[in-house]
Amino acid sequence: MIKKTLITFSLLFLALLWLVSWQLNITYFIAGTYSVASLISFLVYGWDKRLAMQHGEHVIRVPERTLHILGLIGGWPGSLIAQQWLRHKSKKRSFIAVLWLTIIVNGSALSSLYYLQLIYK
């Protein structure tokens, strides 16, 4: 149940960004950035999962810090989808806590940008 909820939440967030960009006739830059960052994040999670499954402890994997930075720059929807769909980094509570912190920080920054745009128009 939670798996479907998080995937749906991520996809709805991206769809909402595109809808808001279209309805308010603002630049598609933010929606495009989130979409591209999410795709890259999903692919990096998939790559790291593949490395973990094929080579285990004997290979240099993608650092968790890199995965969190991808989420912070807007790739968190892709991170959540990959985490649930690929079942990668879905059991490590410290990783999940930092991922949700990046989602909150990113959402706060996006809200601030939107608010400032309304003030200075």
Side-chain angles (χ1 to χ4, degrees), residues 52-101:
M53 289 177 62
Q54 288 182 348
H55 304 288
E57 304 278 329
H58 306 291
V59 69
I60 297 174
R61 297 195 23 220
V62 178
E64 288 184 358
R65 182 179 189 179
T66 301
L67 298 174
H68 289 311
I69 289 171
L70 285 170
L72 193 61
I73 63 170
W76 66 263
S79 296
L80 274 182
I81 293 169
Q83 187 182 53
Q84 298 305 311
W85 193 10
L86 303 175
R87 290 202 252 156
H88 189 49
K89 301 285 187 184
S90 60
K91 300 280 186 217
K92 192 171 182 184
R93 292 185 186 259
S94 62
F95 183 86
I96 294 169
V98 176
L99 176 61
W100 278 101
L101 182 63

Side-chain angles (χ1 to χ4, degrees), residues 4-104:
K4 289 181 183 179
T5 303
L6 291 174
I7 291 173
T8 302
F9 170 69
S10 299
L11 293 173
L12 284 175
F13 174 80
L14 291 172
L16 183 65
L17 275 180
W18 284 102
L19 182 65
V20 166
S21 296
W22 177 66
Q23 285 291 323
L24 297 180
N25 199 20
I26 59 177
T27 182
Y28 293 106
F29 177 76
I30 291 175
T33 300
Y34 272 87
S35 297
V36 169
S38 291
L39 177 62
I40 291 169
S41 184
F42 183 87
L43 293 172
V44 171
Y45 268 75
W47 176 254
D48 190 48
K49 173 76 173 192
R50 182 173 178 230
L51 290 174
M53 289 177 62
Q54 288 182 348
H55 304 288
E57 304 278 329
H58 306 291
V59 69
I60 297 174
R61 297 195 23 220
V62 178
E64 288 184 358
R65 182 179 189 179
T66 301
L67 298 174
H68 289 311
I69 289 171
L70 285 170
L72 193 61
I73 63 170
W76 66 263
S79 296
L80 274 182
I81 293 169
Q83 187 182 53
Q84 298 305 311
W85 193 10
L86 303 175
R87 290 202 252 156
H88 189 49
K89 301 285 187 184
S90 60
K91 300 280 186 217
K92 192 171 182 184
R93 292 185 186 259
S94 62
F95 183 86
I96 294 169
V98 176
L99 176 61
W100 278 101
L101 182 63
T102 64
I103 293 169
I104 292 167

